[in-house]
Amino acid sequence: MLKEISKYSLRSIAFSCLFTSMLSSYAAPQKEAPIDLSIIKQLNELALNMEATQRVNLLKIEARIEQAESDIQSAQFMIDTVVSTFNTKADVAAKNRRGKHLLEEATIRLSESQRELVALLTLVQAERDAEQAKAATQLDFTLKTNTYKKAFTEATEALLDAARTNSYKTVFFEQIYLSDGDDTQVAPSEIRNKVYDRLVEIDGTHFAISVPQGLKIDQSGDSANLTFDNIADYEEDKIALLAIELIEEQSGKSLLYFRLLDLHTHEIIAHRLTIVTDTDALMVSEIATVDEATEQPATVEIRAEDAPKDVPIETSAPGPQLTGVKIRDGNMWIDKLAQQSYKFEVASTTQQPLVTSALLIHTIIEKTSMKIVDSDFILRAYGSEDTPSAKQAGALLMISEADETLTLSARSYSNDRTIEIGTMTPIYE
């Protein structure tokens, strides 16, 4: 284990470095350029970023500096020796000569060790800066764009596979939700029924998809727990809820947002977020309709004016289109928080809260091990003004607007401590 790089060690090295200039009159002329020792002030900080071999090298350099310092002090004592009862003039002259020789040799060793130390710290600093620069972009992503039909099929297959992998034999599906910046509403029943038929078709012989009876929030407790009519029959089972949502984005596109949630903890087990290019009534009907003769998906032509009024009809929207997001977390707080035992929920006070929340959740789940609970969806889909807080999370990730920048922060519910994480920027092209 690395010997502690204490304040004493740092002070000792810094003190030793002063000898170079203080004792220059005794040292032989040096051809090397003066050493910039300013980086030594960061020794304790940089030592935390060192690999094992670098830490061993640091200890060796530190030992050489300490030895050179000790020799310089001994040499100075010898140089300062004067004639006395116990020191004859000849003895003093010899001791003075040995002292000057030792001082010259020790000062050279000190200078060389200083250069080694500066070189080591400079290398570690460069490696740290490169790692931080890489980490600064590791949370950036570009969303996949697809047709509604393909996105729906791929998301369903992926999430049902995740349910099986995580031992969820029952997957509840109740509704498909249509959301924009102001409201979340249930899709018309004909759309919901066709979506359910398509889910069952994709599920095949696994028979995981099931419709819960009376799914609602239990208002008897002090938290927003979901319950349903025959919940006692599933007491020993792990149950997942398939949440499907179309979120309208201000640039004219929509996000098809699939989440597989643990019914009891609201934790996101798996998710898919895709930009879809054709979320009009035609594509909703096409994905959900099966030709009885061929048992293959069939295209049903529905004119926009005939479509259910609650189904969003895509119109051509000029201007930039959402493609992804940039997240800047210089101190790597998200990675550090992901190592904690907290489950996080996400909230946003931005102009497009559902979009920004979905983007952040996407990068968190895709790029880290952080556990996210989707309390926001549970409350929007099943709650009311009187619904209590979900209380399934131990901490909050908050997206806020500051001028033209979205800022990220984290708050622990247990101690109300807030950490400023960084910034988040949706990318439009």
Side-chain angles (χ1 to χ4, degrees):
M1 182 176 179
L2 173 63
K3 177 176 142 185
E4 182 182 1
I5 306 299
S6 63
K7 292 183 178 179
Y8 171 78
S9 299
L10 179 58
R11 186 167 55 248
S12 175
I13 293 174
F15 178 72
S16 299
C17 292
L18 293 177
F19 277 97
T20 301
S21 58
M22 292 173 57
L23 303 175
S24 58
S25 59
Y26 297 100
Q30 300 295 309
K31 295 182 179 179
E32 296 90 350
I35 309 172
D36 181 0
L37 304 176
S38 59
I39 196 172
I40 293 178
K41 297 177 182 178
Q42 303 178 54
L43 189 150
N44 284 347
E45 175 186 348
L46 292 173
L48 299 175
N49 298 97
M50 291 183 180
E51 299 177 353
T53 54
Q54 291 172 327
R55 295 185 178 190
V56 170
N57 194 19
L58 174 63
L59 292 178
K60 292 179 179 179
I61 294 173
E62 182 185 28
R64 291 196 291 271
I65 287 177
E66 291 175 350
Q67 183 60 56
E69 177 190 57
S70 176
D71 290 345
I72 287 174
Q73 291 174 336
S74 298
Q76 190 62 52
F77 176 79
M78 296 168 67
I79 293 171
D80 293 341
T81 300
V82 296
V83 177
S84 66
T85 304
F86 302 100
N87 291 302
T88 65
K89 185 175 181 180
D91 291 337
V92 168
K95 185 174 291 188
N96 290 163
R97 288 193 299 272
R98 290 197 304 273
K100 290 180 180 179
H101 177 75
L102 178 59
L103 178 61
E104 179 180 334
E105 188 269 340
T107 301
I108 292 174
R109 282 190 284 114
L110 176 61
S111 178
E112 291 174 347
S113 298
Q114 288 173 350
R115 292 183 186 277
E116 288 184 62
L117 178 60
V118 169
L120 174 61
L121 296 181
T122 301
L123 173 63
V124 173
Q125 184 184 55
E127 292 175 342
R128 182 199 64 182
D129 292 347
E131 187 66 25
Q132 288 181 345
K134 179 180 177 182
T137 62
Q138 73 174 359
L139 299 177
D140 297 351
F141 66 89
T142 299
L143 280 175
K144 184 177 181 180
T145 299
N146 214 332
T147 63
Y148 190 102
K149 180 178 179 178
K150 290 182 179 179
F152 187 100
T153 301
E154 290 179 0
T156 301
E157 290 174 343
L159 268 61
L160 289 179
D161 183 64
R164 291 188 290 271
T165 300
N166 289 277
S167 302
Y168 288 87
K169 296 181 179 179
T170 300
V171 178
F172 281 168
F173 167 77
E174 189 188 35
Q175 300 287 356
I176 177 171
Y177 293 87
L178 309 177
S179 301
D180 56 23
D182 302 316
D183 189 26
T184 295
Q185 59 181 317
V186 176
S189 59
E190 59 268 29
I191 300 301
R192 179 262 178 207
N193 292 338
K194 291 174 181 178
V195 167
Y196 172 73
D197 290 342
R198 180 59 177 148
L199 292 174
V200 171
E201 180 186 348
I202 296 172
D203 187 26
T205 58
H206 293 289
F207 302 109
I209 297 291
S210 178
V211 178
Q213 300 300 315
L215 184 62
K216 62 182 180 179
I217 290 177
D218 182 0
Q219 298 283 4
S220 63
D222 61 351
S223 62
N225 295 316
L226 289 173
T227 186
F228 52 97
D229 289 350
N230 57 334
I231 191 171
D233 296 339
Y234 294 85
E235 187 174 356
E236 302 298 325
D237 296 343
K238 293 174 67 175
I239 306 174
L241 175 65
L242 182 59
I244 306 177
E245 189 172 13
L246 269 173
I247 303 175
E248 184 181 357
E249 202 274 320
Q250 67 179 8
S251 67
K253 298 298 183 183
S254 292
L255 301 178
L256 181 60
Y257 196 14
F258 271 64
R259 280 93 84 211
L260 190 69
L261 309 178
D262 185 286
L263 188 74
H264 301 296
T265 67
H266 308 169
E267 182 179 338
I268 299 178
I269 306 159
H271 94 302
R272 280 294 181 95
L273 182 67
T274 311
I275 298 174
V276 287
T277 58
D278 45 8
T279 59
D280 55 12
L282 170 64
M283 289 310 298
V284 172
S285 296
E286 179 183 345
I287 189 172
T289 303
V290 177
D291 187 304
E292 294 182 0
T294 63
E295 296 186 354
Q296 297 297 319
T299 299
V300 177
E301 183 178 356
I302 300 179
R303 294 173 300 172
E305 58 268 27
D306 296 330
K309 63 180 181 180
D310 290 333
V311 179
I313 305 299
E314 183 188 27
T315 58
S316 59
Q321 303 293 304
L322 177 69
T323 58
V325 74
K326 287 183 179 179
I327 293 178
R328 291 294 172 264
D329 175 14
N331 292 314
M332 301 177 68
W333 275 116
I334 292 178
D335 273 345
K336 295 172 185 175
L337 293 173
Q339 306 306 314
Q340 305 301 311
S341 58
Y342 290 115
K343 290 182 180 179
F344 285 80
E345 59 185 351
V346 174
S348 176
T349 58
T350 66
Q351 293 182 359
Q352 296 189 88
L354 298 186
V355 173
T356 53
S357 292
L359 293 174
L360 180 59
I361 290 173
H362 178 84
T363 192
I364 292 295
I365 293 178
E366 291 292 316
K367 309 260 187 184
T368 78
S369 59
M370 184 180 290
K371 295 180 179 180
I372 299 290
V373 297
D374 201 346
S375 305
D376 173 68
F377 171 78
I378 298 298
L379 294 175
R380 284 188 292 111
Y382 298 98
S384 65
E385 294 181 356
D386 301 325
T387 302
S389 299
K391 295 186 178 178
Q392 301 285 15
L396 171 72
L397 293 176
M398 174 62 75
I399 310 170
S400 306
E401 286 187 313
D403 297 326
E404 297 182 357
T405 303
L406 305 184
T407 61
L408 300 178
S409 61
R411 177 164 63 90
S412 168
Y413 290 145
S414 60
N415 57 26
D416 208 34
R417 181 190 176 195
T418 297
I419 297 172
E420 299 301 324
I421 294 177
T423 62
M424 174 178 170
T425 307
I427 303 303
Y428 292 85
E429 293 181 356

